[in-house]
Amino acid sequence: MNRLAIIYHSAHGHTEHIAWQIGEGARAVADTQVHLLRAEAVAADPGQLLAFDGFILGSPTYFGGVSGPFKSFMDATGPIWRNQQLKGRLAAGFTVSSLAAGDKQSTLMALFVFCMQHGLLWVGNPILPEQHAGVPYEEAANRLGSWSGLMAQSTHGTPADHFAPGDVKTARLFGRHVAESLRRLAGA
């Protein structure tokens, strides 16, 4: 059984909603056990990371980077980093902001660099933007055109589950892709 942790921070529920959608996609892959963990809880006990084979990290984009609570989680992993205890495991990332661009790429890059420093193996987002195949923009998978990780957009002030259908579809496809990659890595 491959153990996959989706570690996220969500101040208003939007990033948590996407984390749940990613989890739904990952759970569809055989031999995958998915755990959703709040970054604040993992920061208090980073040793729990050692129980997982792969990670999907998620943070809202605040001022062009990860949120403060997510950064605290990252910083709390220092002792694990010193001993390279996560080396060779799988990792991927996602982010949510209220604007279509919103400098989400810099958040994904921060997650990527963090994972590279831990010796993790990064999984990108291979989903082709469906609007190029005639799917209406709001319904298209990977409508925001991100390859380094998953990007989703939630309009400011909307309910936590208010996303374009394409973003929800992308989250589920992304979760499935990461879980399938983990399964291949494990030799299943």
Side-chain angles (χ1 to χ4, degrees):
M1 185 66 67
N2 296 312
R3 292 175 47 92
L4 180 63
I6 301 173
I7 303 167
Y8 67 92
H9 169 249
S10 187
H12 305 289
H14 298 92
T15 306
E16 181 175 45
H17 181 73
I18 293 298
W20 278 95
Q21 299 305 316
I22 291 169
E24 287 299 307
R27 284 184 189 92
V29 176
D31 301 321
T32 304
Q33 189 178 78
V34 179
H35 299 264
L36 273 78
L37 306 171
R38 292 186 176 276
E40 301 91 328
V42 183
D45 179 19
Q48 65 186 292
L49 295 173
L50 301 177
F52 295 98
D53 305 299
F55 310 96
I56 303 176
L57 308 176
S59 172
T61 294
Y62 289 165
F63 297 103
V66 298
S67 65
F70 199 88
K71 180 67 167 96
S72 292
F73 149 69
M74 293 164 71
D75 291 347
T77 66
I80 293 170
W81 168 81
R82 276 191 275 296
N83 297 311
Q84 289 293 286
Q85 292 174 282
L86 300 179
K87 187 176 181 178
R89 299 175 199 214
L90 213 62
F94 71 99
T95 188
V96 175
S97 73
S98 63
L99 298 172
D103 290 325
K104 287 190 277 294
Q105 185 66 37
S106 56
T107 300
L108 290 175
M109 291 309 298
L111 297 174
F112 171 79
V113 170
F114 169 75
C115 291
M116 292 300 96
Q117 290 184 351
H118 273 285
L120 295 162
L121 307 173
W122 189 259
V123 176
N125 181 14
I127 301 162
L128 293 175
E130 290 182 325
Q131 64 265 35
H132 298 302
V135 175
Y137 180 72
E138 292 292 311
E139 298 171 20
N142 199 13
R143 68 189 182 95
L144 298 175
S146 175
W147 310 107
S148 52
L150 170 70
M151 291 182 185
Q153 177 187 6
S154 64
T155 305
H156 186 72
T158 60
D161 64 349
H162 187 264
F163 284 88
D167 289 359
V168 173
K169 181 194 311 184
T170 307
R172 290 180 179 179
L173 291 169
F174 183 68
R176 184 177 185 92
H177 170 67
V178 174
E180 288 170 344
S181 299
L182 183 58
R183 192 164 193 256
R184 281 193 303 277
L185 183 67

